[in-house]
């Protein structure tokens, strides 16, 4: 692929952006540059590479690739999604305030409330499906609006263009955790958002074999800061993980299409099932965020939550499954199923889970790309036990 990646379609960028043939051999795949340092030709002369915390060709290829997919200016890769989120939050200083979607990833909630609050940052947790709730939470010292859409595990949808417009009117920076939909289905920077963050551990890598995180900035000023934080704080992605991620991203469009095709069938099956109380999937026409999601994204993704009414029912169901793996995480080729109250959201206090609607009977599925018939049979087996 030659020239500006923006000339090409998404699937072409996924395979080629940031990855010209290796200049010395023509290798089509970016080599894994497992080196910590680089020899200088002479004093004051080097090839632009000095030390791997700051410069690594494999990581740079991945960063250029993700920046091209998100249509941002620069990409910055970290050792995990949480490392990327912590680098993002260095934009907020002591005495400043952040407005956050109330139903965020449990680890994000823990980091904000149990780490950053110790350093003079304050947080307001809002129902981000309501622009009025976001507006009411903004204060004179608000620096950032941090959103997830769809949220985890309640699948709530925020109107990103409207939220960004509202935040910008108050001089507030907008960051979106785009882990659930990936740039394949939703590109927040094109809707006015300032920074996108990912746990690449999930769909971007797609094979449940590497941890990682990225930040993509729309403005060079933020990008330059993230680069400085990578260099100064050092939680960068390893060359090997960057290689795995580049490999995974090549098939992102085909994987996302397969995840979603099966998720739609499974959501409809669950919605019709007498033993299932409610199904949360933004692709169901009855979902309150359906219309917004249809407008701002090109798909609905592969994540579904549903309620079986009680801990007992959820346990009987989960214990009977034979294909789906009971595990935290999501976005892999294999179907992962989890119980948010005791797994991903165990660090959220029980009263808070209750208030949000994350009941003890809630189950979350990350629909994989196995044979759909096998997945449906597995669900039927589990539901018979309820
Ligand atoms: C997993 C996840 C994270 C954290 O990423 P790690 O790679 O596990 O550190 C952040 N946000 C969302 C939405 C996630 O699913």
């Amino acid at each position: 692929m030659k020239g500006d990646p923006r000339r090409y379609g998404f699937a072409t960028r996924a395979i080629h952006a940031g990855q010209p043939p290796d200049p010395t051999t023509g290798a089509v795949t970016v080599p894994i540059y497992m080196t910590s340092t680089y020899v200088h030709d002479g004093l004051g002369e080097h090839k632009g590479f000095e030390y791997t915390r700051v410069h690594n060709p494999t990581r740079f290829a991945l960063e250029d690739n993700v920046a091209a997919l998100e249509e941002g200016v620069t990409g910055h890769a970290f050792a995990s999604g949480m490392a990327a989120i912590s680098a993002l939050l260095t934009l907020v200083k002591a005495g400043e305030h952040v407005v956050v979607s109330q139903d965020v990833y449990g680890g994000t909630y823990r980091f904000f409330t149990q780490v950053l609050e110790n350093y003079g940052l304050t947080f307001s947790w809002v129902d981000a499906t309501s622009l009025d709730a976001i507006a009411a939470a903004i204060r004179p010292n608000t620096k950032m609006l941090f959103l997830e859409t769809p949220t985890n595990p309640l699948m709530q949808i925020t109107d990103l263009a409207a939220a960004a417009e509202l935040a910008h009117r108050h001089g507030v920076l907008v960051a979106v955790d785009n882990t659930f939909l990936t740039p394949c289905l939703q590109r927040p920077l094109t809707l006015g958002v300032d920074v996108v963050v990912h746990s690449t551990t999930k769909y971007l890598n797609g094979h449940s074999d590497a941890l990682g995180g990225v930040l993509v900035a729309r403005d060079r000023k933020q990008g330059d800061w993230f680069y400085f934080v990578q260099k100064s704080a050092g939680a960068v992605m390893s060359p090997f993980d960057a290689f795995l991620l580049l490999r995974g991203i090549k098939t992102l469009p085909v994987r996302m299409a397969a995840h979603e095709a099966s998720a739609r069938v499974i959501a409809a099956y669950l919605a019709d099932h007498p033993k299932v109380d409610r199904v949360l999937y933004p692709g169901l026409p009855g979902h309150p965020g359906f219309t917004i999601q249809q407008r701002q994204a090109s798909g609905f993704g592969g994540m579904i939550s549903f309620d079986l009414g009680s801990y007992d029912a959820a346990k009987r169901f989960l214990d009977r499954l034979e294909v789906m793996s009971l595990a935290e995480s999501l976005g892999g080729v294999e179907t992962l199923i989890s119980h948010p109250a005791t797994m991903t959201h165990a660090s959220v206090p029980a009263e808070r889970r209750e208030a949000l609607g994350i009941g003890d009977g809630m189950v979350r599925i990350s629909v994989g790309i196995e044979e759909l018939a096998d997945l449906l049979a597995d669900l039927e087996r589990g539901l018979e036990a309820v």
Side-chain angles (χ1 to χ4, degrees):
M1 188 180 98
K2 296 194 172 127
D4 186 346
R6 278 171 295 193
R7 284 168 49 203
Y8 301 96
F10 188 86
T12 308
R13 279 180 276 149
I15 294 169
H16 295 289
Q19 303 167 81
D22 179 51
T24 49
T25 63
V28 292
T29 303
V30 177
I32 312 174
Y33 285 88
M34 289 303 260
T35 187
S36 58
T37 191
Y38 306 85
V39 173
H40 294 212
D41 295 333
L43 193 59
E45 293 167 48
H46 58 73
K47 298 181 168 64
F49 291 88
E50 294 179 280
Y51 188 62
T52 273
R53 173 159 28 80
V54 194
H55 312 109
N56 183 276
T58 319
R59 195 182 81 224
F60 283 176
L62 179 266
E63 291 176 334
D64 288 351
N65 179 267
V66 179
L69 297 183
E70 285 287 6
E71 301 184 36
V73 175
T74 54
H76 305 274
F78 295 86
S80 69
M82 289 318 302
I85 290 172
S86 70
L88 169 67
L89 267 288
T90 62
L91 291 172
V92 186
K93 299 192 180 70
E96 292 179 333
H97 170 252
V98 182
V99 177
V100 194
S101 315
Q102 63 188 2
D103 173 37
V104 279
Y105 176 68
T108 302
Y109 176 78
R110 176 175 56 208
F111 178 58
F112 289 2
T113 57
Q114 295 184 48
V115 179
L116 294 181
E117 282 187 359
N118 297 331
Y119 296 90
L121 278 66
T122 50
F123 297 89
S124 292
W125 304 86
V126 300
D127 171 1
T129 62
S130 157
L131 292 171
D132 291 342
I134 296 174
I138 292 175
R139 305 176 189 163
N141 65 338
T142 303
K143 181 67 190 278
M144 182 184 287
L145 171 63
F146 182 101
L147 300 169
E148 272 179 35
T149 176
T151 60
N152 175 16
L154 296 171
M155 309 293 157
Q156 292 172 342
I157 306 300
T158 297
D159 182 335
L160 288 177
E165 204 266 324
L166 164 69
H168 290 159
R169 247 188 287 135
H170 293 86
V172 172
L173 199 79
V174 186
V176 170
D177 183 335
N178 202 29
T179 299
F180 269 33
L181 290 180
T182 82
C184 183
L185 301 180
Q186 174 170 274
R187 291 191 278 286
L189 301 182
T190 67
L191 299 169
V193 165
D194 301 292
V195 182
V196 165
V197 56
H198 279 280
S199 167
T200 63
T201 312
K202 316 295 169 50
Y203 285 107
L204 283 178
N205 183 49
H207 294 74
S208 304
D209 54 11
L211 282 183
V214 291
L215 295 174
V216 182
R218 196 168 58 130
D219 187 304
R220 192 158 292 280
K221 187 169 134 240
Q222 266 96 43
D224 288 348
W225 175 252
F226 296 146
Y227 182 65
F228 185 72
V229 173
Q230 283 182 298
K231 165 175 158 170
S232 306
V236 292
M237 183 180 286
S238 78
F240 185 67
D241 287 346
F243 168 83
L244 285 175
L245 188 48
L246 280 166
R247 178 183 164 116
I249 288 173
K250 290 182 208 285
T251 56
L252 179 67
V254 288
R255 283 188 286 109
M256 291 311 287
H259 285 297
E260 176 161 337
S262 292
R264 283 168 179 260
V265 175
I266 289 175
Y269 161 84
L270 291 169
D272 261 358
H273 202 287
K275 290 183 179 169
V276 177
D277 285 354
R278 62 176 182 151
V279 180
L280 305 174
Y281 181 64
L284 288 173
H287 188 285
F290 177 78
T291 314
I292 296 170
Q293 174 82 359
Q294 205 171 32
R295 191 173 65 229
Q296 73 184 6
S298 55
F300 299 98
M303 299 298 300
I304 303 169
S305 297
F306 62 100
D307 212 312
L308 290 173
S310 70
Y311 175 86
D312 250 24
K315 179 164 170 50
R316 268 197 292 271
F317 168 78
L318 292 167
D319 286 349
R320 271 290 282 280
L321 299 176
E322 293 175 10
V323 179
M324 301 185 177
S325 311
L326 179 62
E328 301 206 5
S329 199
L330 59 108
V333 290
E334 62 285 293
T335 298
L336 299 175
I337 194 157
S338 69
H339 183 247
T342 60
M343 296 171 70
T344 51
H345 288 64
S347 60
V348 177
E351 323 79 71
R352 192 178 151 77
R353 281 201 307 269
E354 180 100 7
L356 293 175
I358 305 171
D360 288 345
M362 182 169 278
V363 172
R364 187 190 78 180
I365 312 182
S366 166
V367 178
I369 61 172
E370 299 97 335
E371 285 294 331
L372 178 57
D374 292 334
L375 299 180
L376 289 168
D378 211 29
L379 291 170
E380 189 62 38
R381 199 162 21 238
L383 288 168
E384 267 166 24
V386 173

